[in-house]
Amino acid sequence: MSTTPYGALEVSSELTAAARALSRGEMVTTGSTDQLTALRDAVRALTTTGIRVVLIGGLAVGVRSGVPRATIDVDLAAYSRVERRDVGDALIGVGFEHRGSFAHSENFRHRNGEPVQVAFDARMDGAIERAGPVAIDGGELLVVGTEDLIAMKQRAGNDPSRRRSKALRDLADAELLREGADGGTDDGW
């Protein structure tokens, strides 16, 4: 499967909404792009205030591999030297709710319920600098590069303190990115 970066984000948003509905025993409807709305609003709020953020995590895997998937949240990264308070002020100012502070991240919830995590980790600063723009919805979104994303996923997957199910997903993401969208084969189909 290959798709445009924006298409990957749309499909990921719809897959996430469908997965959430199924987990609650609800009927699946199509067309929900709440995750994409949360991404758009967060990036706009942060970049308007001069904070450089890049897309990382599951949504970035979908963009870089061309294989969208459901993901629990929108993951962004900001330089480690950015004041967390400035990020909070920018997001809260446009309606996000602050949900928690952690060693390397601040967690927020968009008014539509979508979780957004902003990571601050000096190990990501180089990747943030190298991130490239992709066209999205009439604008641009900075997305971490494929090699940097593989390194992030590999590091997370090998972290012994990480929940095993998440670590396996990270390692699978890294492998998908290495293989490319079709894995080099159509598996006989």
Side-chain angles (χ1 to χ4, degrees):
M1 167 191 257
S2 182
T3 187
T4 66
Y6 184 72
L9 292 170
E10 281 185 312
V11 171
S12 290
S13 185
E14 290 179 6
L15 288 170
T16 298
R20 286 188 183 139
L22 288 171
S23 73
R24 294 187 302 259
E26 297 172 358
M27 190 169 195
V28 175
T29 58
T30 60
S32 175
T33 56
D34 286 350
Q35 202 169 52
L36 186 55
T37 299
L39 169 64
R40 190 180 302 120
D41 290 351
V43 169
R44 185 179 305 123
L46 294 168
T47 57
T48 298
T49 60
I51 298 171
R52 180 182 173 99
V53 291
V54 302
L55 184 66
I56 61 172
L59 289 175
V61 170
V63 168
R64 292 298 183 200
S65 70
V67 181
R69 69 167 175 85
T71 181
I72 196 165
D73 60 3
V74 173
D75 294 301
L76 299 171
Y79 286 117
S80 59
R81 65 183 175 270
V82 168
E83 291 292 331
R84 290 176 177 224
R85 181 182 205 163
D86 293 341
V87 169
D89 289 347
L91 293 177
I92 291 167
V94 296
F96 283 82
E97 175 188 354
H98 186 254
R99 301 290 292 198
S101 297
F102 301 90
H104 295 288
S105 69
E106 296 290 330
N107 293 355
F108 300 88
R109 188 166 304 276
H110 188 269
R111 62 186 165 275
N112 67 18
E114 287 296 324
V116 174
Q117 183 177 72
V118 182
F120 306 85
D121 188 334
R123 295 175 296 179
M124 292 185 195
D125 285 352
I128 293 168
E129 189 64 35
R130 291 184 294 274
V134 297
I136 170 176
D137 200 23
E140 286 186 339
L141 172 68
L142 292 173
V143 180
V144 69
T146 302
E147 292 304 315
D148 287 319
L149 188 53
I150 290 170
M152 287 176 189
K153 289 294 192 172
Q154 197 70 48
R155 186 171 57 242
N158 290 324
D159 181 347
S161 67
R162 193 153 174 85
R163 195 172 70 222
R164 184 78 177 134
S165 60
K166 289 184 122 188
L168 290 171
R169 167 48 73 192
D170 290 325
L171 294 173
D173 285 345
E175 194 58 33
L176 173 65
L177 290 160
R178 279 189 203 94
E179 291 175 350
D182 65 3
T185 178
D186 65 4
D187 292 330
W189 301 107

